[in-house]
Amino acid sequence: MDKSLMILEYKESIGQWHYNMVYDHKPKNQPDAYGWASIAYTEERKARVFTYMMDCKMHQREREGLEPYTTEYVKKAWKLFCYAYNSIVKYIDITNDYKKYVSDRFDDTKALARLGHAAFSDVKEDYELESAEDYNPLDFTDANF
């Protein structure tokens, strides 16, 4: 397990994340204080994948003028994400060859840019990337990366 542990917290009123790092089994800040709600005690790298993914959805909501997600929605989304994440770890045979295959084709910054993450909008513009939904579903590489 990754040694960088944290409590992922969410503030519904502003739709933002807080990484409350844990050192020697003690969180840096008091959990569930100042309007932050605990979502999960987890590994930092796992939380980063989740928050980047959710940020794409949250930025779209913001652009549409919608309120931030509720804490209950985020908790359910976390558990759905955990299902996918843990199923991949449990069921997918990740050999060194397969890991290299994915590493050679997957660019997380371009993927996040295509998905609409606001922090990566310059990447989308610089590389003239299509939106995530614009891909050939019958092309294996285009459909999976």
Side-chain angles (χ1 to χ4, degrees):
M1 182 162 31
D2 184 355
K3 294 183 185 187
S4 296
L5 297 175
M6 53 161 304
I7 298 171
L8 176 60
E9 297 178 318
Y10 176 73
K11 188 179 275 192
E12 183 177 322
S13 63
I14 57 174
Q16 294 206 356
W17 307 107
H18 177 247
Y19 287 14
N20 188 355
M21 300 309 292
V22 174
Y23 306 101
D24 295 322
H25 306 287
K26 294 179 183 135
K28 182 177 180 185
N29 304 108
Q30 177 66 37
D32 300 311
Y34 307 108
W36 294 102
S38 295
I39 301 301
Y41 177 44
T42 190
E43 300 169 67
E44 182 180 6
R45 63 184 178 182
K46 186 175 181 180
R48 286 205 184 278
V49 173
F50 175 72
T51 58
Y52 279 158
M53 178 191 74
M54 287 299 294
D55 282 345
C56 295
K57 295 173 68 166
M58 291 162 59
H59 293 152
Q60 181 61 39
R61 285 181 68 82
E62 189 177 309
R63 285 189 293 273
E64 293 172 359
L66 300 172
E67 294 293 317
Y69 286 118
T70 65
T71 300
E72 291 76 23
Y73 179 89
V74 171
K75 284 182 172 181
K76 187 171 183 177
W78 170 256
K79 294 307 282 185
L80 181 60
F81 169 78
C82 286
Y83 166 78
Y85 187 96
N86 294 325
S87 291
I88 290 166
V89 170
K90 183 175 180 179
Y91 296 115
I92 303 227
D93 185 20
I94 303 175
T95 62
N96 286 337
D97 287 343
Y98 188 66
K99 189 170 184 169
K100 182 177 178 350
Y101 173 79
V102 171
S103 294
D104 289 347
R105 288 160 182 79
F106 178 66
D107 183 323
D108 54 340
T109 57
K110 287 181 180 176
L112 288 167
R114 292 183 69 198
L115 287 164
H117 193 295
F120 297 92
S121 60
D122 58 330
V123 173
K124 186 174 183 189
E125 187 176 309
D126 291 347
Y127 288 94
E128 299 178 1
L129 300 172
E130 301 283 335
S131 293
E133 64 273 14
D134 294 329
Y135 67 92
N136 181 351
L138 300 178
D139 178 295
F140 185 85
T141 300
D142 201 23
N144 288 278
F145 298 96

